Amino acid sequence: MNTRKETFIPKQYLAVISVLAAMMMGVLNGTIMNVALPTLAKEFAVEASVAIWVVNAFQLVITMLMLSFATLGDIYGYRKIFFTGISIFVVSSILCACSTSFEMLVISRILQGFGSACTMSVNIALIRLIYPPHMIGRGMAINAMVISVSAASGPTLAGLILSFASWNWLFLINLPLGLLSLALGWKLLPNNPPNKEKRKFDKISALGNALTFGLLIYTIEGVAHSENQLLILIQFVLLVIIGTLYIRRQQKLSTPILPVDLLKIPLFSLSIGSSLASFTAQMLAMVSLPFFMQNILHFDAIEIGLLMTPWPLATILTAPLSSRLLERHVHPGLLGGIGMGVFSIGLFMLYLLPDDPEKWQIIWRMFVCGMGYGLFQTPNNVTITTSAPIARSGGASGMLGTARQLGQTLGATLVALIFRFFGESSQFQTCLLCAMIFSLASMLLSMLRMPHANRHSA
């Protein structure tokens, strides 16, 4: 398929469904396990602190490998990496469902992380190839909606499944999504555009990338959860040494795994920074809100789920609007800045909640937050993707996913630190203040993009 087509034919819709089904599969598996952790801890007779590795192993592998797989997509083709990822994910899902020990389950989840890293590293690059340039905003809007729906529905779906079936079915639900993605994408997903530049995969850089991001995440998690201080110090020293050597190596390469070449493009680097800050702000609010609703307001799990729903619902409604405004040539920096401004207002309104709020007072504030976030995400993702040359779409896609993973990790870690050092009465407000700081930083970075034109939109 030619990315310069001015029309969008039915076959392209099916190709998009293939990418979105895989994206839904990966995002669901990042959120669905949280609800199941107590069940798994009881099933395998392990402590809660050990059971959490079912989640951590999956997320850690994705962060460590995403940029490497994005580079492989640039070299060998996004299709190959995408289908490899889906195949691994489907097989590992079966292994997870059939696990007879906790060790087998964690190893299977690591394999799932491999598969998810493959698909998530190139999904945006494939969307860029599927959609004609003037419609790329719609593709990003649909992608944002699928992510929001999947992330929001994961805990609810897990609770529903566990209410009438065993935990094994949490993994078996991946099979229809994976097979659908394979069936639709096999003939319909596009190949990479021709590229005269011959590249080789730098294995040393791939190892440095995995160690750098792995140590970064593990050190942050260790600080948040009060791990052994000596171990944290050793990890930090290793992070500084390995990270420095890794970055220096990347600076010497024409097409590095860590896209320092793309980060030299002001529009790209500002957008990545804005994305990182926005995901940090989002997680600060989304992780702390359920604790506030349960521990302070004494709502039950069903009520909390319903009160959280307006956020992703508003994102779903707002994302198409932002894509339409993009098509009308409204600058993405302005749209993103307004979006994060609205998001900041929503957070501030949550901060001002009365001591004993009515449910409707929470609902409309959540809706404002979701509106702002939906208005921001689509133009920001479009800018990240299209500000890179098309031959580096994989690098841009991988960097976008890495920014999301790092932002979410940082946000969740900050919540853990705040909960550790602040009393229960002030934890929620402190989290919201931090979220506002990051959201305003994201707004500023977005607005700074306005003087820069997008030279690689075609």
Side-chain angles (χ1 to χ4, degrees):
M1 294 179 202
N2 192 333
T3 59
R4 287 176 167 74
K5 284 184 179 179
E6 295 300 318
T7 57
F8 199 62
I9 59 177
K11 285 185 177 181
Q12 287 171 294
Y13 283 110
L14 295 177
V16 170
I17 291 173
S18 173
V19 176
L20 295 180
M23 193 67 184
M24 180 181 294
M25 192 168 59
V27 174
L28 272 176
N29 272 266
T31 59
I32 203 170
M33 283 295 105
N34 294 328
V35 176
L37 287 179
T39 302
L40 293 172
K42 184 178 180 180
E43 173 75 17
F44 294 107
V46 297
E47 297 291 332
S49 59
V50 176
I52 202 170
W53 273 103
V54 173
V55 174
N56 287 351
F58 179 77
Q59 299 289 359
L60 189 62
V61 169
I62 293 174
T63 308
M64 290 171 65
L65 299 179
M66 194 180 299
L67 286 174
S68 294
F69 284 130
T71 300
L72 287 170
D74 281 336
I75 298 173
Y76 299 110
Y78 308 132
R79 275 176 54 99
K80 291 180 180 178
I81 301 302
F82 185 77
F83 289 133
T84 299
I86 296 174
S87 301
I88 293 173
F89 203 99
V90 168
V91 172
S92 59
S93 295
I94 296 173
L95 292 175
C96 285
C98 297
S99 293
T100 56
S101 67
F102 185 74
E103 291 76 13
M104 180 179 176
L105 178 59
V106 171
I107 292 172
S108 300
R109 282 287 282 175
I110 290 172
L111 288 175
Q112 270 195 328
F114 270 86
S116 191
C118 287
T119 56
M120 293 175 72
S121 67
V122 298
N123 73 306
I124 299 297
L126 284 169
I127 286 176
R128 184 179 184 182
L129 295 183
I130 292 169
Y131 279 87
H134 71 287
M135 293 178 66
I136 189 67
R138 298 186 192 184
M140 296 300 176
I142 294 172
N143 188 67
M145 286 189 290
V146 168
I147 291 175
S148 296
V149 171
S150 301
S153 61
T156 304
L157 182 60
L160 183 64
I161 291 173
L162 291 174
S163 66
F164 67 86
S166 68
W167 61 267
N168 311 77
W169 287 94
L170 296 173
F171 300 103
L172 293 176
I173 61 170
N174 295 323
L175 301 188
L177 286 171
L179 294 175
L180 173 66
S181 183
L182 283 170
L184 291 178
W186 191 254
K187 291 185 178 181
L188 299 176
L189 286 178
N191 291 307
N192 290 30
N195 185 11
K196 295 180 181 179
E197 182 183 359
K198 292 185 177 180
R199 295 175 56 188
K200 290 184 177 180
F201 183 65
D202 187 350
K203 296 178 182 178
I204 296 177
S205 291
L207 178 61
N209 178 80
L211 291 174
T212 298
F213 282 101
L215 285 168
L216 175 62
I217 299 298
Y218 204 65
T219 302
I220 292 174
E221 291 282 350
V223 172
H225 296 97
S226 304
E227 300 286 347
N228 183 282
Q229 293 185 356
L230 178 60
L231 180 60
I232 293 174
L233 179 61
I234 293 172
Q235 289 172 187
F236 180 74
V237 172
L238 288 173
L239 170 62
V240 172
I241 295 172
I242 295 173
T244 300
L245 294 173
Y246 169 61
I247 292 173
R248 285 181 178 177
R249 184 179 181 86
Q250 300 312 289
Q251 291 173 334
K252 298 176 182 178
L253 303 175
S254 58
T255 49
I257 286 180
L258 179 69
V260 291
D261 57 326
L262 299 181
L263 291 171
K264 293 177 182 178
I265 302 172
L267 197 60
F268 183 86
S269 57
L270 287 170
S271 300
I272 288 293
S274 187
S275 182
L276 179 64
S278 73
F279 280 112
T280 303
Q282 182 199 42
M283 287 301 287
L284 273 160
M286 293 291 279
V287 173
S288 61
L289 273 165
F291 287 99
F292 171 70
M293 293 179 185
Q294 182 177 23
N295 298 337
I296 305 298
L297 302 182
H298 306 295
F299 292 129
D300 60 36
I302 296 175
E303 289 175 314
I304 293 172
L306 292 174
L307 289 171
M308 297 289 286
T309 300
W311 185 316
L313 179 62
T315 300
I316 292 168
L317 295 175
T318 312
L321 171 63
S322 64
S323 72
R324 294 291 182 180
L325 291 173
L326 275 178
E327 291 174 11
R328 294 180 180 273
H329 305 293
V330 178
H331 199 286
L334 176 62
L335 281 176
I338 293 173
M340 290 312 291
V342 172
F343 181 60
S344 300
I345 292 171
L347 292 172
F348 186 62
M349 291 297 102
L350 284 170
Y351 178 81
L352 296 178
L353 270 173
D355 292 336
D356 189 20
E358 299 290 336
K359 290 180 181 178
W360 65 267
Q361 293 176 305
I362 299 174
I363 289 172
W364 74 260
R365 287 168 167 84
M366 297 291 285
F367 198 85
V368 172
C369 288
M371 282 179 58
Y373 209 75
L375 192 61
F376 165 80
Q377 274 300 314
T378 296
N380 194 67
N381 290 354
V382 169
T383 305
I384 289 173
T385 306
T386 59
S387 60
I390 196 163
R392 295 284 280 133
S393 292
S397 179
M399 197 63 192
L400 173 58
T402 300
R404 180 176 65 249
Q405 292 289 126
L406 288 177
Q408 290 174 341
T409 300
L410 179 58
T413 300
L414 286 172
V415 172
L417 286 172
I418 291 168
F419 279 26
R420 179 180 166 190
F421 291 110
F422 288 82
E424 190 176 77
S425 60
S426 60
Q427 289 172 349
F428 176 63
Q429 285 77 11
T430 306
C431 285
L432 286 182
L433 284 174
C434 288
M436 279 187 277
I437 292 171
F438 279 99
S439 64
L440 289 172
S442 179
M443 180 184 73
L444 176 61
L445 289 170
S446 184
M447 299 295 285
L448 288 174
R449 295 179 297 184
M450 291 187 63
H452 299 281
N454 192 344
R455 296 175 296 173
H456 299 290
S457 58

